Amino acid sequence: KQEVTQIPAALSVPEGENLVLNCSFTDSAIYNLQWFRQDPGKGLTSLLLIQSSQREQTSGRLNASLDKSSGRSTLYIAASQPGDSATYLCAVQNYGGATNKLIFGTGTLLAVQP
Amino acid sequence: DAGVIQSPRHEVTEMGQEVTLRCKPISGHDYLFWYRQTMMRGLELLIYFNNNVPIDDSGMPEDRFSAKMPNASFSTLKIQPSEPRDSAVYFCASSSVGYGYTFGSGTRLTVV
């Protein structure tokens, strides 16, 4: 059974710092991995999608990497801003069967202090 | 595309009443998912459809919950009768194979 873990559960940094959020998964046979952002009281916004054949994806100040063999992904945020404050969730989609469902981690609550 | 559209945004109802949540997926997406989010359990997959057919409803908590997808552009999640422990945010999401998920803004349900 696939399990997804995110560390740390919460993180507070001063504005301008570079930071890394971690995601680990127990079954390396994944189809893809997706990072989401959730603002308080809002829905989930997709940030980056990494297919199993890819090693990383970049969008603006965000860079996500994927190492399937070790069951890990990281989300790197450069030059953090107060507007980056949110909960960040990673989710994996497994190979096999007719399933297309995402399995979510527990999230990292990020606070960027001005 | 307007994205995944859910209605209502907020629902407050009394225990025992029937509640119907609605979702319009992104046109062309052939998968539709219903999730529930609470502080205690995080995001839980309730049920998902492929080409309007329910594929996995193992996450539906009990028989009080039912979901339908009568066509490719509409789905409902119904709770009857509702209970206070059903209070949560309910999200709908859609996707296609090889593409990521797109989530709706959610319906915040409060059962009093």
Side-chain angles (χ1 to χ4, degrees):
Chain A
K1 177 186 173 186
Q2 179 73 274
E3 293 183 0
V4 182
T5 305
Q6 292 186 244
I7 296 173
L11 180 64
S12 180
V13 299
E15 182 177 3
E17 272 203 7
N18 303 324
L19 59 100
V20 174
L21 307 181
N22 297 293
C23 173
S24 61
F25 44 94
T26 54
D27 185 348
S28 62
I30 65 170
Y31 189 67
N32 61 41
L33 183 146
Q34 196 166 357
W35 282 93
F36 294 88
R37 167 188 173 137
Q38 186 174 28
D39 293 283
K42 304 290 186 181
L44 280 72
T45 301
S46 178
L47 298 174
L48 291 164
L49 171 68
I50 310 177
Q51 302 289 357
S52 62
S53 58
Q54 298 173 323
R55 297 281 295 184
E56 65 177 344
Q57 283 286 334
T58 297
S59 175
R61 295 182 293 108
L62 305 180
N63 175 276
S65 67
L66 175 63
D67 183 344
K68 281 199 317 177
S69 61
S70 66
R72 293 181 181 179
S73 176
T74 61
L75 178 66
Y76 175 82
I77 302 177
S80 58
Q81 303 171 358
D84 295 330
S85 299
T87 297
Y88 290 81
L89 295 148
C90 76
V92 300
Q93 183 180 330
N94 281 2
Y95 270 111
T99 183
N100 191 31
K101 60 185 181 184
L102 279 180
I103 301 166
F104 281 87
T106 49
T108 294
L109 177 61
L110 173 66
V112 181
Q113 309 298 333
Chain B
D1 199 318
V4 176
I5 301 173
Q6 291 187 246
S7 64
R9 290 296 306 275
H10 302 275
E11 177 81 33
V12 180
T13 191
E14 292 185 346
M15 183 173 62
Q17 296 298 307
E18 178 180 291
V19 176
T20 299
L21 311 181
R22 297 173 176 79
C23 176
K24 175 178 168 51
I26 290 177
S27 177
H29 281 188
D30 52 358
Y31 283 86
L32 183 139
F33 306 82
W34 282 100
Y35 280 85
R36 178 171 68 176
Q37 187 177 40
T38 61
M39 288 292 292
M40 292 294 292
R41 292 191 295 270
L43 270 163
E44 303 173 281
L45 177 65
L46 300 177
I47 185 172
Y48 77 95
F49 296 83
N50 178 217
N51 292 322
N52 314 337
V53 176
I55 302 300
D56 183 352
D57 65 354
S58 59
M60 297 285 261
E62 44 196 281
D63 291 345
R64 298 184 297 106
F65 286 70
S66 63
K68 293 182 180 179
M69 193 166 185
N71 57 61
S73 59
F74 184 66
S75 176
T76 60
L77 177 68
K78 186 175 294 186
I79 308 172
Q80 166 64 24
S82 57
E83 298 182 2
R85 60 194 168 114
D86 302 330
S87 298
V89 181
Y90 291 80
F91 288 105
C92 175
S94 69
S95 77
S96 282
V97 173
Y99 293 87
Y101 279 33
T102 300
F103 277 77
S105 300
T107 295
R108 182 174 297 276
L109 173 65
T110 303
V111 183
V112 297

